[in-house]
Amino acid sequence: MLEGVETSRLLKTVTEQAYNAVLITDADLTGGGPFIVYCNPAFCRMTGYERSELLGRSPRLLQGPETDRTVIDSLRQGLHQQTFWEGSTVNYRKDGESYVVNWNISPVSGDGKRVTHFVSMQQDITARVRVEAERDMLIQALNQAHDPVFVTDGDARIVFANAAFESLTGYRAAEVTGKTPALLSSGEQSAEFYREMWKALENNQPFQARFINRRQDGSRYHVEQSIAPVLNHFGRRTHFISTSWQVDDLVERENALQIMATRDKLSGLLNRRAGDEALYKAHHEHLANAQPLSVIICDIDHFKAVNDTFGHLAGDRIIQLIAELIDQQARSGDPAIRWGGEEFLIILQANLTAAMGLAERLRSAVEHLQDAEVGLVTLSLGVAEMLHGESTEQLLGRADGALYRAKRSGRNRVMSGAGN
C-alpha cells in the first residue's frame, strides 16, 4: 500500500495532469466566499487565468451577463446544505469570451464531520452544446418541411421522422423509432426492386424511385422517394436519409391517361392497339414458359340489322351490354378486347378445352340477354389454340375461320379452329 506522503504526491500528480478542470475552494460562505485554494492547469486553460490570478478569489469572477441566476442560486443552496450539486451555465474567460461549463461540487470533511472545503470537477461543454443546438435547429427545420423525411442508422432502423412523415403515414415518430422502413411496405413492389435499391445504397450511391407504400390504416399511397447514404469524416456510412413527396394525384392522372390510351371508350375493354400488345405479350410468355395459349373471337349476330332498325344508340347499348358480360365471364388476367366494330377478342393462357368452355358460357349468357328495345341478341364464336411453331397471325386466322363457319352454320354457336 502507498504511504501517506506517496498518496498525497500521487493525488497531486493526477490532479495536475487531469484532462478535466479541478477547482477546490474553502468552505467559508461569509464575506463573499467561498474562495479558491487550488485549481489545476486544466482549469486555468479553460478560464484563461493564471493560477496566481485565481487563488484567494471567488469563482464568481467567472460569472457574467448570460450566467443563469437560477443555476447560481441553486448552487448557493447546495453549498449551504453541504450536499452534492451539479449544473451547467454560461461562464466567462479572462478575455471576456463566454463558454458553457458543466460542473459538480462535493463537500469535503477534513475530520470526517466538519466540511472544510468544496471540490469541483468542471468541463467545457461549449462544443457539445453548439452541436446539440445545431441538431435541434435541424430537427426544427425538418419538422417544418412540407415533405416527409426520415433518417435511419446504419442498420436501417429509424432514428428520426418529421411531422410531415407522421401526417402522411399515420404513424407517430415514437411508434416507428427503432423499426425499419419495411413497416411501410405495401407488398406491391418486387424483391428485385429492393435488391436494386440496396445495391445502390451499399455502394454509397443515392437511390430514387416511385414507392407504393402503406399507411398505418392499411391504405396505399405513392411517393417519389430519394434515399441517400450519410458518410462520416472517414467516408464510412453511418446513416441513411430519405426524403419523399406524395404523387397520388400524378399517379391518378397517369392512370387516367393510360386508360384513355388503352381502353375502348364505348365498351371499356382494351382497344385494338392495346389488344395487339397483350397478344404479343401472351405469345412471348407462351414461348418462354411453354404455357398454353388460346383465343376466342366473337361477333354479334345481325348487328347491322340492329343499327339499321333501332339506330346507333341502341347498337352502342348492345355493345356495352355484351362487353360487360365478357368482362364478367373472362378470367382475371385474361385480356378482353374490342377487336372491331361488333367483334371481340379474348386471350387465354389456357388450352382449347378450357377456351371452348368459356366460349360456350359466353354464348349462353348472351342468348339469355333480353334488351327491352332490341329483344334477343346472340353471339357467334370461333376458338383456336396456339400450335407449335405457329405465329399469332396464323392463330387468329384459324379462330377467325372458326367464327366464319359458326356464322355459316346458323349463328349463335361456338366453333373450334383446331387442326386448321
Side-chain angles (χ1 to χ4, degrees), residues 233-309:
H233 295 301
F234 303 102
R236 295 176 182 171
R237 186 174 63 249
T238 61
H239 294 80
F240 299 98
I241 182 167
S242 169
T243 58
S244 59
W245 51 100
Q246 191 175 3
V247 293
D248 284 329
D249 290 344
L250 175 61
V251 170
E252 187 174 338
R253 289 195 298 270
E254 289 176 349
N255 289 340
L257 290 173
Q258 177 70 9
I259 290 172
M260 290 175 62
T262 61
R263 293 285 170 174
D264 175 64
K265 186 176 180 180
L266 177 62
S267 68
L269 303 179
L270 294 177
N271 59 27
R272 180 65 179 260
R273 180 177 177 181
D276 285 333
E277 293 177 359
L279 185 59
Y280 172 83
K281 180 181 178 182
H283 185 222
H284 177 76
E285 293 177 357
H286 163 76
L287 296 176
N289 304 317
Q291 293 179 336
L293 174 60
S294 298
V295 294
I296 301 172
I297 293 180
C298 46
D299 185 272
I300 303 174
D301 295 329
H302 302 296
F303 186 73
K304 184 177 183 302
V306 172
N307 277 334
D308 291 344
T309 304

Side-chain angles (χ1 to χ4, degrees), residues 372-387:
E373 182 181 10
V374 176
L376 177 67
V377 181
T378 61
L379 275 185
S380 294
L381 305 97
V383 185
E385 181 181 359
M386 176 73 75
L387 302 176

